[in-house]
């Protein structure tokens, strides 16, 4: 009962009975942050498989929010990616297929990069890329730059020719479907001896990739 002075009577100790206040009772935008129950720092509000409010656990620094598809709440997960560059110049012999070395890791989220090889941590679609700067390559020489799967299948290759200056820059990139434990490396076949260039910043010769889906 609300009397003429605005005093409310007739409410038992403990407040209104359950289910008395519904969405139609409240005005739009009536509930603010101050009226919400406290939670855990860093959690994200979502809905569970039953359509009820739920919290996504905070996760760790650097993780990303990952969808689990319809019928399941998202989760925080570690990103899947790596990037590396060479730390010394590499000499490439004539008419040989040579594995290119990328000794310095810039990042490797899942610790799946080692010995200039990236091993797939989980099934999915991945984007891989590489860039080389070659020097001392004869004008009439040519080379094939390859991203190779499991040491046997060429996923992409790019053919380049030497130049009168002796310097050539080339790149290759590919989107691939891969299973866990597949691995990828970079190879170069050339008809003229040359060197893979090196800079302290690693800007010339790189190898990297990440999971798309």
């Amino acid at each position: 009962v609300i009397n003429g002075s605005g005093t409310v009577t007739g409410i038992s100790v403990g407040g209104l009975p359950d289910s008395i206040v519904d969405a139609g009772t409240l005005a739009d935008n009536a509930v603010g942050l101050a009226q919400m129950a406290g939670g855990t720092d860093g959690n994200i509000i979502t809905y569970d498989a039953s359509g009820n409010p739920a919290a996504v656990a905070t996760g760790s620094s650097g993780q990303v929010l990952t969808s689990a598809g319809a019928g399941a709440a998202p989760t925080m997960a570690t990103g899947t990616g790596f990037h590396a560059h060479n730390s010394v110049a590499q000499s490439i012999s004539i008419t040989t297929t040579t594995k290119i070395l990328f000794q310095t890791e810039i990042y490797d989220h899942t610790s799946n990069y080692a010995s200039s090889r990236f091993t797939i941590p989980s099934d999915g679609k991945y984007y891989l890329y590489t860039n080389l700067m070659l020097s001392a390559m004869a004008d009439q020489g040519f080379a094939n730059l390859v991203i190779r799967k499991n040491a046997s299948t060429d996923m992409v290759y790019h053919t380049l020719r030497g130049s009168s200056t002796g310097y050539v820059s080339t790149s290759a990139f590919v989107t691939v479907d891969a299973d866990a434990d597949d691995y990828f490396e970079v190879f170069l076949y050339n008809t003229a001896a040359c060197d893979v260039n090196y800079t302290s910043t690693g800007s010339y010769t790189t190898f990297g990739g990440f999971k798309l889906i």
Side-chain angles (χ1 to χ4, degrees):
V1 176
I2 303 177
N3 62 25
S5 65
T7 302
V8 180
T9 61
I11 299 176
S12 61
V13 175
L16 295 172
D18 291 343
S19 303
I20 291 299
V21 178
D22 57 19
T25 305
L26 297 173
D28 290 348
N29 301 315
V31 177
L33 293 177
Q35 287 76 45
M36 295 178 63
T40 301
D41 183 26
N43 280 4
I44 299 173
I45 298 173
T46 185
Y47 295 92
D48 61 19
S50 300
N52 297 317
V56 177
T58 304
S60 303
S61 176
Q63 289 187 319
V64 296
L65 186 65
T66 303
S67 173
T75 58
M76 302 301 293
T78 300
T80 302
F82 76 102
H83 181 81
H85 64 77
N86 66 342
S87 55
V88 295
Q90 182 179 0
S91 296
I92 307 297
S93 300
I94 190 170
T95 61
T96 61
T97 299
T98 304
K99 178 180 173 179
I100 306 303
L101 304 180
F102 307 87
Q103 301 92 344
T104 301
E105 287 184 9
I106 302 303
Y107 59 85
D108 179 15
H109 289 149
T110 55
S111 300
N112 281 75
Y113 178 81
S115 301
S116 302
R117 170 187 293 183
F118 177 61
T119 302
I120 298 298
S122 60
D123 297 358
K125 190 179 294 292
Y126 288 78
Y127 178 81
L128 302 171
Y129 59 86
T130 185
N131 183 77
L132 299 186
M133 172 67 82
L134 304 177
S135 63
M137 186 173 177
D139 190 12
Q140 296 304 311
F142 74 89
N144 287 334
L145 173 63
V146 175
I147 297 177
R148 185 168 292 175
K149 177 181 177 181
N150 298 336
S152 59
T153 304
D154 292 349
M155 304 308 300
V156 64
Y157 71 88
H158 180 73
T159 301
L160 61 147
R161 296 194 68 86
S163 70
S164 58
T165 64
Y167 289 91
V168 178
S169 179
T170 184
S171 301
F173 46 88
V174 64
T175 300
V176 296
D177 290 308
D179 299 328
D181 297 329
D182 285 338
Y183 63 89
F184 294 86
E185 299 164 301
V186 176
F187 290 86
L188 186 73
Y189 171 84
N190 61 312
T191 62
C194 63
D195 294 328
V196 178
N197 265 19
Y198 155 73
T199 63
S200 59
T201 60
S203 58
Y204 283 176
T205 299
T206 60
F207 181 33
F210 50 87
K211 186 175 183 179
L212 295 170
I213 53 176

